Amino acid sequence: MQLVDLRERKILITGASSGIGRATALLVSQLGASVVLCARDASRLLETLEKMDSPQKHRCIPFDVTDFDKYDEVFTRAVSDGKKIDGLVHCAGIARPLPIRAMSPSAVLTIMDVNFHSFLHLVHTYTKKKYGCGGSIVAVSAANSHYPQTCMSVYAASKAALEASVKTMALELAAQKIRINCVAPGAVDTPMTQMADEGALDKILDKQLLGMGKPKDIANMIAFLLSDASSFITGRAMFVDGGLLGQ
């Protein structure tokens, strides 16, 4: 019997155009799920779709997660085939360095909107009976919220807020038979990481026992949390950090 089985599941994934989001979309399609792919860049979403198992089973909905007035429209399109959503994965995010001297209300709000506020809106919309039917929600946090880096205080705060909200929302969502968890990756080889300061990245990798991670390493944990194999886990942050936090 297959331990992680997502057949007959419909999973909505934000940030599905690259990195961890793309790897998650590819993996869950291999595990039998139908996937609703969301990201801002329509052409890159199509690139993801072309790599997936049974592309005809899935659909792309270009969408900026900070466009908060569009959430109902996106979810309505996602269930227009008559099947509700069984799982939600929030991979969309930005890791923008922001020194204290450069902070402004708009700069802080941009990071919080993409990384945290959008997650709250996604969960709020998913829990409407016309869109979701129980299942599992997974958000991507970051080891940065536990392992400080210079100029990343707002980014770390956005991920810490996400983790705190997961713990609290688990209390409410259990009654709706919805589990909610997050994963906290260490350094992973994604386009976002490739833009990071090399010196800061090297310091992390020096302490990350298993070296640089791959997007699929994180996708594996996400798929596990989406599946019934994790049916007794909710309100938790799962560290997939190559041993970073053990240092």
Side-chain angles (χ1 to χ4, degrees), residues 10-12 75 78-79 83-88 126 131-134:
K10 177 188 279 187
I11 312 295
L12 189 150
F75 276 74
V79 301
K83 179 170 173 50
K84 293 182 181 180
I85 303 167
D86 306 288
L88 168 67
Y126 177 88
Y131 300 134
C133 55

Side-chain angles (χ1 to χ4, degrees), residues 18-183:
S18 66
I20 294 170
R22 174 174 285 180
T24 301
L26 299 182
L27 179 59
V28 299
S29 74
Q30 293 165 8
L31 295 170
S34 62
V35 185
V36 180
L37 305 159
C38 295
R40 290 179 300 176
D41 191 321
S43 63
R44 290 169 67 190
L45 278 180
L46 288 174
E47 290 175 8
T48 301
L49 180 64
E50 290 168 359
K51 298 175 183 290
M52 295 171 69
D53 278 24
S54 305
Q56 70 280 0
K57 287 177 54 176
H58 319 295
R59 67 183 306 176
C60 298
I61 304 180
F63 170 49
D64 184 337
V65 294
T66 65
D67 195 347
F68 298 121
D69 292 333
K70 292 288 183 67
Y71 277 58
D72 275 297
E73 178 184 324
V74 169
F75 276 74
T76 296
R77 289 178 62 187
V79 301
S80 61
D81 60 355
K83 179 170 173 50
K84 293 182 181 180
I85 303 167
D86 306 288
L88 168 67
V89 184
H90 183 43
C91 294
I94 53 174
R96 184 175 298 166
L98 188 61
I100 293 172
R101 66 179 180 277
M103 284 185 188
S104 67
S106 62
V108 172
L109 188 59
T110 295
I111 294 172
M112 295 299 291
D113 275 351
V114 176
N115 294 350
F116 176 56
H117 296 154
S118 61
F119 178 60
L120 297 182
H121 283 270
L122 286 164
V123 174
H124 168 73
T125 310
Y126 177 88
T127 57
K128 294 181 180 180
K129 291 182 179 180
K130 59 183 175 180
Y131 300 134
C133 55
S136 175
I137 299 171
V138 184
V140 176
S141 181
N144 300 69
S145 61
H146 304 268
Y147 184 87
Q149 286 181 268
T150 303
C151 301
M152 298 297 283
S153 57
V154 179
Y155 175 72
S158 71
K159 295 300 189 178
L162 186 151
E163 290 190 21
S165 73
V166 162
K167 293 177 184 178
T168 304
M169 288 192 287
L171 301 175
E172 297 182 57
L173 296 178
Q176 293 180 246
K177 300 187 184 305
I178 297 173
R179 295 183 299 106
I180 183 167
N181 296 284
C182 58
V183 295

